[in-house]
Amino acid sequence: MIARLRRAYRGMRLGTRLALGLGALALVVFAVVGTALTTYMRDYLSAQLDTQLAQAQIAQSKSIADYGTLTGKKYYSWFYAVYDVSNGTPELRRPEDPADLPKDVDDFTALASAQTTAHTELLRTEHLRGAGTYRLRACEVEPGVVLVSAAPMEDLEDTVGQLITIQVVTFALALLALVVFGRHMLRRGLKPLSDMASTAHGIASHDLTESAARLPLRADGRDGGPEVDELRTAFNTMLEHIDDSLAVRAQAEQRLRRFVADASHELRTPLMSVRGYADLFQYAAANAPEERDRHLARLRAEAARMGILLDDLLLLARLDAAEVEAPLRLEDADLTELVRQAADAFRAGRPDHPLTVTTGPQALTVRLDPQRVRQVLDNLLANAAVHTPPGTPVSVDVAVASHAALVRIADAGPGIPPEDQERVFDRFYRVDKARSRSRDRGGSGLGLAVAQSLVRAHGGRIELNSEPGATVFTVRLPLSGAGVPAARGPETTSV
């Protein structure tokens, strides 16, 4: 039974449970107040009756002492007994009226005997057989004479009973009104919470698998007080964070799909070439030595191209998982010397692009991975050469600013369109999507992505400023606190 009641209570709504709890608390309060009020009223009426008995016995004692009778000093339904005391034993006088004595006078005699011994007024409450409950008082009229008077307590009990009845009815109505109206007010006060619960159910039924899913629901309203308003604000803030997370997830999924498609396309081209040359050898279509050597050279070139692409993809994967496996081997190195080496290699490989290098007279020591920073410089210089016409000047400048080492690689080419500047660091992204990807022009589209990831792994960043006639890539590397940062945020690109 108790377990069933507990289950029923747990299944109630919060407003009903609060209303019942408030009713139970009110019931306890009403019980305490009613008990105190009833006790006080009973004591007050008892004191009043005792006073009435005392005042009546004063007049009755004087009448007995003066006239030996109680005539004219009696009250309706009261009892009176006069005792003569000799040698400590009370003897009952013959009553003036038989109605002055109850059927059983043992309680009167006992009280008179006690008064004789105590020599003071005594009060007792006794239940007289056949008469009901009475308040008895014994006093000494004169030496050797004791008067015992008894007043009925029926009126007192009736008054107290009526008071209890009134209290029970009043408190019951008040309790009922408190539970009913309290439940209504609590449900109204908790309505904002119910609205938020409905919003949560709506969100639960919303399809979060959509690529561009955004939660269309919010907790609205101004009711409920400051606490509910704080909860509503926190709830809506949480929904905003969920929306942001869904948007990031959707973007990541789109990038992943695009990455997989581009990677498949990039790998398919050299694989098709390798497959074609393998078919030539299988069917003996290249028997002449010079033709065979030429086809083998092309086969090796395609395999090398595919190997470079896979190496770049592996490096990007390791950089993405830098928390598990750091791909850098840091040491103190001269950044100026690395720039000079990259410039010499560029001049040797790209003689059709004049290069100007400004490094300053002093060495610039930075804690970095020389091989990876050299790879960044080579990628940026190659990018400047590939995407500009022959004869376009290229410049490299090394400087120090704001506790960072700066390497600026600029070219005077046609520039990068504004709509493409924010995406040039995406993997496999090309400004000219229709450009041929031959061996001498165009790459895999991973050069800038690799450069950006490597610089971020050093705790730095790459900034881009481009307009027609001037494109500048600025590499910022920290001069202190080198190493892979604890938490890598999104790349900030200045356009």
Side-chain angles (χ1 to χ4, degrees):
M1 180 65 180
I2 296 178
R4 192 158 52 244
L5 290 177
R6 286 180 178 175
R7 287 195 297 269
Y9 177 76
R10 291 172 181 170
M12 295 179 181
R13 296 183 66 86
L14 179 59
T16 303
R17 294 169 64 176
L18 290 176
L20 290 177
L22 184 62
L25 179 61
L27 182 61
V28 173
V29 173
F30 290 162
V32 172
V33 172
T35 302
L37 183 59
T38 302
T39 303
Y40 170 78
M41 182 59 67
R42 182 185 294 275
D43 293 342
Y44 174 77
L45 293 176
S46 296
Q48 290 291 101
L49 185 59
D50 293 343
T51 302
Q52 187 179 2
L53 274 170
Q55 292 174 352
Q57 283 190 332
I58 292 174
Q60 293 165 355
S61 297
K62 184 177 180 181
S63 178
I64 293 173
D66 293 343
Y67 308 106
T69 179
L70 289 174
T71 303
K73 303 298 181 181
K74 299 178 181 178
Y75 292 87
Y76 175 74
S77 72
W78 284 34
F79 294 123
Y80 307 97
V82 180
Y83 289 88
D84 293 316
V85 181
S86 61
N87 298 325
T89 301
E91 295 290 339
L92 180 64
R93 287 184 183 182
R94 183 177 179 179
E96 300 173 5
D97 185 351
D100 289 346
L101 290 176
K103 296 179 180 180
D104 186 2
V105 296
D106 292 343
D107 292 329
F108 286 72
T109 303
L111 184 60
S113 178
Q115 195 280 333
T116 302
T117 305
H119 302 289
T120 184
E121 294 80 6
L122 295 180
L123 287 166
R124 286 182 184 176
T125 301
E126 300 290 350
H127 183 77
L128 303 181
R129 187 176 59 185
T133 303
Y134 274 71
R135 185 71 168 171
L136 279 63
R137 188 178 191 273
C139 69
E140 187 180 39
V141 176
E142 58 184 7
V145 179
V146 175
L147 171 63
V148 179
S149 300
M153 298 187 68
E154 182 180 359
D155 293 340
L156 185 149
E157 295 296 339
D158 289 344
T159 302
V160 173
Q162 291 177 7
L163 176 62
I164 293 175
T165 302
I166 293 173
Q167 288 178 350
V168 169
V169 173
T170 303
F171 288 165
L173 293 176
L175 183 62
L176 180 62
L178 180 63
V179 171
V180 173
F181 291 103
R183 182 173 179 270
H184 175 72
M185 295 180 64
L186 286 172
R187 289 185 63 182
R188 184 174 180 180
L190 294 174
K191 188 177 182 301
L193 298 181
S194 300
D195 294 340
M196 280 186 274
S198 300
T199 302
H201 286 301
I203 294 171
S205 62
H206 189 69
D207 186 9
L208 300 180
T209 61
E210 299 177 6
S211 59
R214 284 190 63 85
L215 302 177
L217 303 175
R218 291 295 185 272
D220 299 325
R222 296 295 178 184
D223 299 331
E227 295 82 1
V228 176
D229 191 56
E230 291 178 4
L231 178 61
R232 185 185 297 110
T233 301
F235 187 76
N236 289 335
T237 302
M238 178 190 68
L239 294 181
E240 291 294 337
H241 289 330
I242 293 176
D243 273 345
D244 294 340
S245 299
L246 291 175
V248 171
R249 187 191 70 176
Q251 294 176 0
E253 290 177 351
Q254 292 176 358
R255 287 196 300 269
L256 178 62
R257 286 194 292 267
R258 187 168 61 247
F259 176 80
V260 171
D262 291 341
S264 301
H265 180 73
E266 292 294 334
L267 290 172
R268 183 177 61 181
T269 301
L271 285 175
M272 291 297 295
S273 298
V274 171
R275 181 179 176 181
Y277 289 120
D279 290 340
L280 288 176
F281 283 101
Q282 179 181 1
Y283 297 108
N287 292 324
E290 62 278 5
E291 185 178 358
R292 183 171 60 251
D293 292 340
R294 182 167 55 86
H295 291 327
L296 285 174
R298 294 295 299 273
L299 187 62
R300 284 192 296 268
E302 294 296 337
R305 178 184 173 189
M306 186 167 55
I308 293 174
L309 177 61
L310 292 176
D311 289 341
D312 288 342
L313 290 174
L314 178 61
L315 175 61
L316 288 172
R318 293 179 62 193
L319 290 172
D320 290 340
E323 298 84 358
V324 178
E325 179 186 5
L328 301 181
R329 298 179 180 178
L330 301 177
E331 62 181 68
D332 292 335
D334 185 2
L335 181 61
T336 302
E337 180 61 25
L338 291 176
V339 170
R340 292 195 183 99
Q341 294 174 7
D344 292 340
F346 180 81
R347 292 190 183 99
R350 306 285 182 174
D352 54 346
H353 284 76
L355 177 64
T356 303
V357 179
T358 305
T359 59
Q362 297 180 348
L364 181 57
T365 302
V366 181
R367 187 164 183 78
L368 46 76
D369 184 334
Q371 180 179 356
R372 296 307 184 186
V373 172
R374 172 65 189 276
Q375 184 177 358
V376 171
L377 298 175
D378 290 341
N379 286 353
L380 293 177
L381 287 171
N383 183 77
V386 168
H387 299 298
T388 57
T392 302
V394 179
S395 64
V396 181
D397 179 22
V398 180
V400 177
S402 301
H403 305 287
L406 306 182
V407 179
R408 297 186 181 90
I409 298 177
D411 65 70
I416 301 174
E419 62 273 12
D420 294 318
Q421 292 183 17
E422 294 184 358
R423 299 190 58 190
V424 293
F425 293 103
D426 291 350
R427 299 170 188 182
F428 295 113
Y429 183 79
R430 291 179 177 81
V431 175
D432 184 6
K433 301 176 180 59
R435 186 179 65 233
S436 171
R437 299 184 185 184
S438 60
R439 292 190 305 273
D440 56 340
R441 288 201 51 90
S444 64
L446 294 176
L448 291 181
V450 170
Q452 180 201 49
S453 298
L454 287 173
V455 172
R456 286 169 58 183
H458 282 82
R461 66 178 186 270
I462 299 181
E463 299 173 353
L464 168 63
N465 287 276
S466 181
E467 60 184 17
T471 298
V472 181
F473 286 90
T474 302
V475 178
R476 290 180 176 269
L477 296 174
L479 290 177
S480 60
V484 179
R488 299 186 306 168
E491 174 70 15
T492 301
T493 302
S494 175
V495 179

